[in-house]
Amino acid sequence: MAFVVSDEVLSTYVPVVVYWVFSGIYGLLGYLEGCRLHPKGAEEEENVASKLQVLRGVLLQQVVQIAVVTLMMKVVGDEGVAPQQPSFLVCACQFLIAMVVLDLWQYFGHRYMHVNKFLYKHIHSKHHALVVPYAWGSLYNHPLEGLLLDTIGGSLAFLLSGMTPRTSIYFFSFATIKSVDMHSGLFLRWNPLQVCFRNNVAYHDIHHQLKGNKFNYAQPFFVSWDFIFGTHMPFTVEERKGGGFEARPVKDD
């Protein structure tokens, strides 16, 4: 008898594997000084959270993520019956709807975490302990933030778009890769994610800087909400003396 893994199980676990695989790839690319937005050693010098703390935090969030997605798939799934996969065009539309839903949810949730001083101090500041972001720290959040913004946001995108578990494998994996790329600290001119999306590593790096802390909230796909609601901060990416690049805000206070 052949061993078959359901789409629901793959949708739950594949994004976790993708997270670590792509984090490893970006980690290796990080040895190339010429593509870094911050010089080598900046992570250890400027970040408040140690890499052991980050590892524990990410693993905890992924455990919670697996638990919630497993429960969701059991609730919406039809035991033993795989839903019929719609046409490519329908899947593409569902994919786009899910991107918009997740983006909108994350924008307002993320922005409120900054506006509300209590939530920022006790919850969201944990993520900003990484002043110099790096790939595998992209999911380093307070557990409550990870649950509300990432796990529940992704679940809503799945449910409201009407996508099947099979389509969600690709959607959740893509969203994971996009988040890892945004936090990688690597400005890669050839990277299609950074070419095709304005919401890229430099855009999000501005948000992690002190001057950009209350701007560029949008994540992980589009910059539209920042433009619409007046929280967009323009910036330039310049070559850094000694190698690499630097993202600099151009907004005057």
Side-chain angles (χ1 to χ4, degrees):
M1 183 176 179
F3 178 71
V4 179
V5 180
S6 69
D7 290 340
E8 288 83 359
V9 170
L10 290 174
S11 179
T12 304
Y13 289 96
V14 167
V16 175
V17 175
V18 166
Y19 181 89
W20 291 108
V21 169
F22 275 82
S23 291
I25 293 172
Y26 281 104
L28 292 174
L29 290 172
Y31 285 101
L32 303 174
E33 183 68 31
C35 62
R36 295 176 62 94
L37 285 176
H38 300 271
K40 287 182 180 179
E43 296 165 7
E44 287 73 17
E45 293 174 6
E46 299 186 38
N47 288 343
V48 178
S50 69
K51 292 200 171 176
L52 181 58
Q53 288 176 303
V54 173
L55 178 61
R56 288 173 177 167
V58 170
L59 291 176
L60 175 59
Q61 176 160 336
Q62 289 181 327
V63 168
V64 174
Q65 174 184 312
I66 288 171
V68 172
V69 174
T70 299
L71 178 62
M72 179 184 67
M73 290 298 180
K74 284 187 176 295
V75 171
V76 303
D78 190 355
E79 188 109 9
V81 179
Q84 184 177 0
Q85 190 69 6
S87 67
F88 175 80
L89 181 58
V90 171
C91 287
C93 290
Q94 292 172 334
F95 207 98
L96 181 59
I97 291 171
M99 290 171 70
V100 172
V101 170
L102 181 58
D103 243 41
L104 188 59
W105 177 268
Q106 292 235 344
Y107 174 81
F108 283 109
H110 185 195
R111 182 174 178 176
Y112 190 65
M113 290 277 183
H114 278 266
V115 172
N116 186 297
K117 293 181 179 179
F118 177 86
L119 291 180
Y120 185 83
K121 179 179 179 180
H122 296 283
I123 296 179
H124 189 56
S125 62
K126 184 170 183 176
H127 181 69
H128 280 272
L130 299 184
V131 180
V132 179
Y134 50 87
W136 62 272
S138 63
L139 283 184
Y140 181 62
N141 299 302
H142 187 284
L144 183 59
E145 177 181 352
L147 175 64
L148 292 175
L149 264 64
D150 297 331
T151 305
I152 292 181
S155 299
L156 284 173
F158 168 76
L159 294 170
L160 294 177
S161 67
M163 65 172 55
T164 64
R166 181 166 298 178
T167 303
S168 74
I169 299 171
Y170 300 99
F171 174 71
F172 289 139
S173 295
F174 179 62
T176 297
I177 295 170
K178 189 68 178 61
S179 180
V180 168
D181 178 73
M182 284 174 58
H183 290 86
S184 67
L186 303 178
F187 186 67
L188 306 168
R189 296 184 185 275
W190 48 264
N191 186 338
L193 291 177
Q194 297 183 20
V195 173
C196 298
F197 289 90
R198 293 180 64 185
N199 197 336
N200 54 32
V201 63
Y203 189 88
H204 196 65
D205 188 80
I206 294 295
H207 176 70
H208 275 259
Q209 297 178 24
L210 182 61
K211 191 173 182 180
N213 188 261
K214 295 187 181 298
F215 298 90
N216 294 12
Y217 296 118
Q219 58 183 31
F221 301 114
F222 311 115
V223 299
S224 312
W225 310 116
D226 278 318
F227 276 101
I228 292 171
F229 296 106
T231 54
H232 173 261
M233 174 174 277
F235 62 94
T236 61
V237 177
E238 303 172 5
E239 291 189 7
R240 185 175 61 245
K241 187 176 181 180
F245 298 92
E246 182 178 6
R248 292 186 175 182
V250 297
K251 184 181 179 71
D252 294 327
D253 291 330

